[in-house]
Amino acid sequence: MAVMATVATGSTSALAAVDTEPISEQPVSDGVDDVDVPPPYSVWSPWQKKLIVAGAAFGGFFNPITAQVYLPALTVLEDEFGVTEAEINLTVTTYMIFQGLTPILFSGFTDTLGRRPGYIFCFIVYISANIALALANDYEDLLVIRCFQSAGSATIMVICQAVVADIITSAERGAYIALTAIPSILGPSLGPVIGGAMTQYMGWRSIFWMLTIAAGINFLLMLLFIPETCRKVVGDGSVRPPWWCQSVYQWFYYRRHPSVPQNLNSLEKSAYTTDEGKLKYATSHLFSSFALLREKELALLLIIGGTVFTGVYAVGTAMPALLQDLYGFTPMQIGLMYLPLAGGSILAVVFVGPGMNWNLRRHARKLGMPVDKKTKMDLSRFPIEKVRLEIAFPFLLLGVGIITSWGWITVNKVEIEKVIIVVLFLGVGLVGVNNVVNALIVDIYPDTAGAALAAYNLAKCIMGAASSGFVAPMILGMGMGPAFTLLGCLYLLLVPIILLVMWKGVVWRTSRHARELRKKGSILVREQDPQESVSDTDMASTPQKETTSTEILPAEKDARSTS
């Protein structure tokens, strides 16, 4: 509890620091030496950042564990409700579909109105769905309520990932990947173990009561301590958020300190900084994730990440039936077989995080660019795509070999020790690629991280749902070995896509930035107050730079020259 109280000061120590004139509030001189010194990206200290990210990661734990804790109970539910295997698998497929769709709708709101309102709404939906599932008495109730359960938990996961973009710079993102990867590591691995044990010894309903209690504790801690981090609401962390975005601790703190200085210049345009109504502004950003899908770079990254996850879901879905048929495993034993996946995922985190930081420093040193973890790095001309994806290559090639060998070792019913080793390295390869892609998406879309990650989540869920639905027919039609060999060949097709992103990434980002500048310029012209506009007389008396309608913005000129 003491640790969580420290996190609550999302504003305490940060705001206390403001009282003693932090860097962001110190007066700036007109000297030339100060012009190029960027302000700190966030007022949070390194240990505060780690606690905030850890708290967010704990909330994001519920989405992957909810998806996986349910799998060992499938055969039990099939018998209890008197349905076929295909019908009970439909509860998994619909869960994944809603897991991808609902964050698309809510991410725009959380990017504009704040993270905490999204947390509160989604936790209420998730906890209510778990209670209803624990009391379900027929198959139809199970199928429908699982959709609401997915909607709540999936949006929480995306919000948690967006918190990282709010407070962490690109230069230090690799150091925090271990914390942000905890949900994707422990959820899929511990979920089947917990679900198998509870199904075997306490009944399947105990799974949902357990989730209700755990989510309730997390929800309470979030209400009490976790601060608002959305940069459009609190800027660099020093701006006082509206009361509905404050934690309970912050609410009492602001009542005792009503005149805390704020760095309002760090605020980005949002529903709170425009004359537009809050709901109208947020609604206009409702489908921001779909708008991002038009960007070539993001679309290709979604293909890469989504394709990688087809292997994760294909193996995860096929594993229970295979282990039961080939080795006669009980639900508890089947759940334990997911633990090597956790071990491999941890190994991936150990290598990916430091590897990304090392590669960023290496490329920055080549280009003569300084790397400061406290300030936002200018990535406009920096090859961040190459920096990140160079780390993903060895993990992808490892995944190709492992996913192919998985089909052949199971069809030959090899010793269980060899199966464990393959599952271990499967976690290393596939989770390693996923972590790199996730970090790169946040790097190139820091201002709309929630919407971009929601689009990534949608791609993973749609392709994962397709793989979980087709893996059984593929195995029946082609055989285990050829089916997973085909999946390995599909991974090889990602190599030219990765090379294309590495080659054209900077050009695409520069072009997108030029379009955004033109759009902002046209908005400023439309919103200009006529009384503040320059008169014709002043225009005539003031020397003007000769321009034409075909003048090219500097960012657009860079894009054209690069291409």
Side-chain angles (χ1 to χ4, degrees), residues 35 44-45 62 220 425:
V35 173
W44 313 100
S45 65
F62 289 99
L220 178 62
F425 282 101

Side-chain angles (χ1 to χ4, degrees), residues 67-79:
Q68 301 294 327
V69 74
Y70 178 75
L71 295 181
L74 290 180
T75 55
V76 176
L77 291 169
E78 181 182 338
D79 295 334

Side-chain angles (χ1 to χ4, degrees), residues 243-264:
W243 65 267
W244 58 84
C245 289
Q246 298 173 13
S247 66
V248 174
Y249 189 96
Q250 284 180 306
W251 188 81
F252 282 106
Y253 181 86
Y254 285 124
R255 284 176 64 88
R256 296 194 305 269
H257 306 83
S259 302
V260 174
Q262 307 176 74
N263 181 16
L264 297 178

Side-chain angles (χ1 to χ4, degrees), residues 1-16 44 47-48 116 219-228 240-258 260:
M1 183 65 71
V3 172
M4 294 303 297
T6 309
V7 176
T9 59
S11 282
T12 27
S13 26
L15 290 173
W44 313 100
W47 59 269
Q48 285 176 324
R116 282 183 59 85
F219 184 40
L220 178 62
L221 292 175
M222 185 275 297
L223 288 175
L224 292 175
F225 302 119
I226 299 298
E228 178 62 63
R240 179 174 179 170
W243 65 267
W244 58 84
C245 289
Q246 298 173 13
S247 66
V248 174
Y249 189 96
Q250 284 180 306
W251 188 81
F252 282 106
Y253 181 86
Y254 285 124
R255 284 176 64 88
R256 296 194 305 269
H257 306 83
V260 174

Side-chain angles (χ1 to χ4, degrees), residues 64-329:
I65 196 173
T66 302
Q68 301 294 327
V69 74
Y70 178 75
L71 295 181
L74 290 180
T75 55
V76 176
L77 291 169
E78 181 182 338
D79 295 334
E80 179 158 338
F81 291 119
V83 294
T84 64
E85 180 181 356
E87 288 175 322
I88 204 64
N89 284 342
L90 189 60
T91 63
V92 178
T93 303
T94 53
Y95 180 95
M96 296 175 66
I97 292 173
F98 275 79
Q99 184 181 13
L101 289 177
T102 49
I104 289 286
L105 300 177
F106 286 99
S107 60
F109 282 107
T110 62
D111 278 340
T112 55
L113 297 180
R115 311 299 182 197
R116 282 183 59 85
Y119 270 133
I120 293 171
F121 177 78
C122 293
F123 262 115
I124 292 174
V125 172
Y126 177 69
I127 293 172
S128 302
N130 280 316
I131 295 173
L133 284 169
L135 301 174
N137 291 317
D138 56 61
Y139 169 75
E140 289 75 15
D141 290 344
L142 184 71
L143 182 64
V144 173
I145 300 172
R146 277 280 287 178
C147 297
F148 286 97
Q149 184 192 36
S150 173
S153 63
T155 310
I156 293 171
M157 179 72 173
V158 172
I159 296 174
C160 294
Q161 293 171 338
V163 167
V164 179
D166 293 334
I167 63 176
I168 305 299
T169 64
S170 298
E172 58 182 344
R173 189 157 293 135
Y176 290 86
I177 197 170
L179 293 175
T180 58
I182 286 175
S184 61
I185 293 173
L186 297 182
S189 306
L190 295 181
V193 178
I194 297 172
M198 299 190 77
T199 300
Q200 186 168 337
Y201 298 109
M202 301 175 64
W204 64 269
R205 296 181 189 275
S206 63
I207 294 175
F208 300 110
W209 289 122
M210 179 271 297
L211 293 174
T212 300
I213 296 171
I217 295 173
N218 192 324
F219 184 40
L220 178 62
L221 292 175
M222 185 275 297
L223 288 175
L224 292 175
F225 302 119
I226 299 298
E228 178 62 63
T229 60
C230 181
R231 299 188 68 84
K232 294 179 181 178
V233 180
V234 297
D236 60 5
S238 66
V239 179
R240 179 174 179 170
W243 65 267
W244 58 84
C245 289
Q246 298 173 13
S247 66
V248 174
Y249 189 96
Q250 284 180 306
W251 188 81
F252 282 106
Y253 181 86
Y254 285 124
R255 284 176 64 88
R256 296 194 305 269
H257 306 83
S259 302
V260 174
Q262 307 176 74
N263 181 16
L264 297 178
N265 291 329
S266 65
L267 274 177
E268 300 174 1
K269 182 180 178 182
S270 72
Y272 303 104
T273 59
T274 61
D275 295 331
E276 213 172 342
K278 295 181 179 63
L279 183 61
K280 181 179 179 182
Y281 183 88
T283 304
S284 66
H285 292 72
L286 180 63
F287 298 104
S288 53
S289 294
F290 288 110
L292 291 177
L293 293 176
R294 295 177 299 180
E295 302 293 339
K296 289 175 285 190
E297 185 172 14
L298 180 61
L300 293 177
L301 289 175
L302 299 187
I303 292 174
I304 295 170
T307 303
V308 167
F309 256 73
T310 59
V312 176
Y313 284 110
V315 173
T317 305
M319 189 180 292
L322 288 173
L323 294 177
Q324 184 176 9
D325 295 341
L326 296 178
Y327 299 95
F329 278 10

